Amino acid sequence: MSTVAAASTTQTPPVAVVDTMSGRVKKRLTSRTATVVSLLIAVLWTIPTFGLLLSSFRPEREIKTTGWWTAFTNPSFTLENYENVLFGTSSTQLLSYFVNSIVIAVPATIFALTLAALAAYALAWIDFKGRNWVFIGIFALQIVPLQMALIPLLQLFSNGAHIGSITIVPDLNLTGSFVTVWLAHTAFGLPLGVFLLHNFISEIPKEMVEAARVDGAGHGAIFRKLMLPLITPALASFGIFEFLWIWNDLLVALTFTGGTKDVAPLTVRLAEMAGSRGDRWERLTAGAFVSLIIPLIVFLSLQKYFVRGLLAGGLKG
């Protein structure tokens, strides 16, 4: 009995040490100095955005001749920039490109979320041969630059895949359509999504899954009724990242859509709005803030899950 008691007492100090360390870290992060530093960083981070917002309401002549800070001493504001961007000529309008961005970002995000959640569940709870190697391969794909895959994917979508006279993938002829951008963004987003969701799903207690299996639930029922409600914060976090990345993307969209008005997103039009000589800043400032509307709505509506989803899969044990 004394041996057991001695062994139990020797196991308690590590827990106490961890609690003490976490308390110290929490105290430092919530101190007055940390608060002041955080506010200073936030202000410095916000100043350029505030200057851009102020410039979007200034006349063209003022933007090109003076800095945005002069608006405080010599205020001169107009809505002409926004009217030109939203309701001007066909060469400056953003509305059609705005719709294209929504059509691209929403389905691509849903596809990436769905496939990543299914793959993460399979890697975490379905025992099959080579499972660990598959997960290592998916993790390694995160460090592969997506630029390396742009041309091969473009050739695959346009000409298929052939080895000599043998056709591996038939000619799809999908270039210049939304489908190619959906597939590309889904493929590029899956490695991060699978990794993030796998860490979250693998922390769910094993007893809960076993209890569901005892009740006769299969993998489909476990995933729908047990996993999905529990991984909502992680899904929201990854969904925010994926949506913002797709919404702000220019390279992938320009490569797979060809920049045509029918399918090109907002970023392609914004890149053209500065003019051939880069002197139409009044359009660019207004267009930039028009493009911020949807990302702000998405982030503000899901922010309560954001931090919780990021931290939930960060540590295990």
Side-chain angles (χ1 to χ4, degrees):
M1 293 294 293
S2 60
T3 304
V4 174
S8 62
T9 56
T10 58
Q11 295 177 357
T12 54
V15 178
V17 171
V18 172
D19 292 339
T20 304
M21 291 178 61
S22 62
R24 290 177 181 175
V25 172
K26 183 178 180 180
K27 184 177 180 180
R28 290 179 181 178
L29 292 178
T30 56
S31 64
R32 181 175 298 179
T33 303
T35 303
V36 172
V37 172
S38 301
L39 290 174
L40 182 61
I41 294 175
V43 170
L44 292 176
W45 189 273
T46 308
I47 286 176
T49 305
F50 176 75
L52 189 66
L53 175 62
L54 202 60
S55 297
S56 67
F57 290 101
R58 303 182 70 209
E60 177 183 354
R61 180 178 55 83
E62 298 292 335
I63 292 177
K64 294 180 178 179
T65 56
T66 59
W68 61 267
W69 51 87
T70 59
F72 295 104
T73 57
N74 185 23
S76 177
F77 301 106
T78 180
L79 293 175
E80 183 179 355
N81 298 332
Y82 285 94
E83 292 176 359
N84 190 18
V85 166
L86 294 174
F87 310 108
T89 61
S90 59
S91 61
T92 60
Q93 277 190 9
L94 288 179
L95 289 180
S96 60
Y97 296 90
F98 193 88
V99 174
N100 291 344
S101 287
I102 296 176
V103 173
I104 290 174
V106 174
T109 303
I110 293 175
F111 295 156
L113 279 173
T114 303
L115 295 178
L118 291 172
Y121 172 79
L123 291 171
W125 293 105
I126 299 178
D127 189 13
F128 58 90
K129 189 176 181 179
R131 180 179 64 174
N132 293 333
W133 288 107
V134 172
F135 181 72
I136 292 173
I138 293 174
F139 175 77
L141 286 174
Q142 295 183 73
I143 62 176
V144 178
L146 64 88
Q147 291 84 353
M148 295 179 60
L150 291 179
I151 301 304
L153 272 180
L154 185 61
Q155 293 177 344
L156 177 66
F157 292 151
S158 58
N159 301 321
H162 308 275
I163 300 179
S165 59
I166 301 176
T167 301
I168 305 300
V169 178
D171 297 347
L172 302 176
N173 194 22
L174 295 175
T175 54
S177 65
F178 290 122
V179 177
T180 57
V181 190
W182 293 340
L183 294 176
H185 280 306
T186 301
F188 294 142
L190 279 178
L192 175 61
V194 173
F195 176 73
L196 178 65
L197 296 178
H198 174 271
N199 290 345
F200 195 97
I201 291 176
S202 61
E203 290 185 358
I204 294 176
K206 186 178 181 180
E207 292 77 11
M208 298 179 63
V209 180
E210 291 177 347
R213 289 175 178 171
V214 170
D215 292 338
H219 287 298
I222 293 174
F223 179 77
R224 293 192 312 271
K225 299 179 180 179
L226 179 63
M227 294 297 173
L228 284 182
L230 294 176
I231 66 174
T232 298
L235 287 174
S237 298
F238 173 61
I240 291 174
F241 274 123
E242 183 70 3
F243 183 87
L244 295 181
W245 184 77
I246 295 173
W247 185 270
N248 294 322
D249 169 72
L250 173 63
L251 180 61
V252 175
L254 188 60
T255 301
F256 292 102
T257 64
T260 60
K261 183 179 179 180
D262 295 334
V263 293
L266 194 61
T267 50
V268 174
R269 189 70 195 99
L270 286 175
E272 300 171 350
M273 290 188 68
S276 58
R277 299 180 180 179
D279 58 346
R280 303 311 300 267
W281 286 103
E282 73 282 358
R283 297 179 183 174
L284 198 57
T285 55
F289 273 90
V290 170
S291 67
L292 285 176
I293 296 174
I294 297 298
L296 281 176
I297 294 174
V298 172
F299 181 78
L300 293 176
S301 61
L302 298 177
Q303 64 174 339
K304 63 180 180 180
Y305 300 108
F306 186 64
V307 176
R308 189 168 27 143
L310 286 180
L311 297 179
L315 298 175
K316 187 175 181 179

